[in-house]
Amino acid sequence: MALFEPRTPVYAGEGDELEKVIKLLRDHSIDFKTKPGAAGTLVLVKRGLADEAEMEIREAKARNWLW
């Protein structure tokens, strides 16, 4: 097991949308970190979980659960 696993940005935003994405990731037990960025706050997940996180966010957008 690696001590450090690179993280990949899966979302950038602010406000209510950011809070909803964070809640979505927590509900699906996806480990994440946030970091301030130029396009808003970045949500970073471990590379191995990036596909799952992006899929959950896309699915939530498609069903209008986030926006």
Side-chain angles (χ1 to χ4, degrees):
M1 181 175 186
L3 294 176
F4 174 77
E5 186 175 346
R7 293 185 178 261
T8 302
V10 293
Y11 176 81
E14 295 180 350
D16 290 341
E17 291 177 8
L18 175 63
E19 295 301 319
K20 290 176 182 177
V21 167
I22 289 172
K23 182 182 182 318
L24 177 73
L25 295 177
R26 281 189 183 135
D27 289 349
H28 288 276
S29 300
I30 298 174
D31 182 36
F32 67 92
K33 289 187 178 184
T34 58
K35 178 180 176 183
T41 301
L42 295 174
V43 177
L44 306 163
V45 298
K46 292 182 179 179
R47 257 191 208 154
L49 298 173
D51 290 340
E52 180 182 353
E54 289 174 343
M55 182 188 71
E56 294 296 344
I57 293 169
R58 274 195 306 266
E59 184 178 307
K61 282 183 182 180
R63 295 180 183 200
N64 292 321
W65 289 347
L66 295 179
W67 294 268

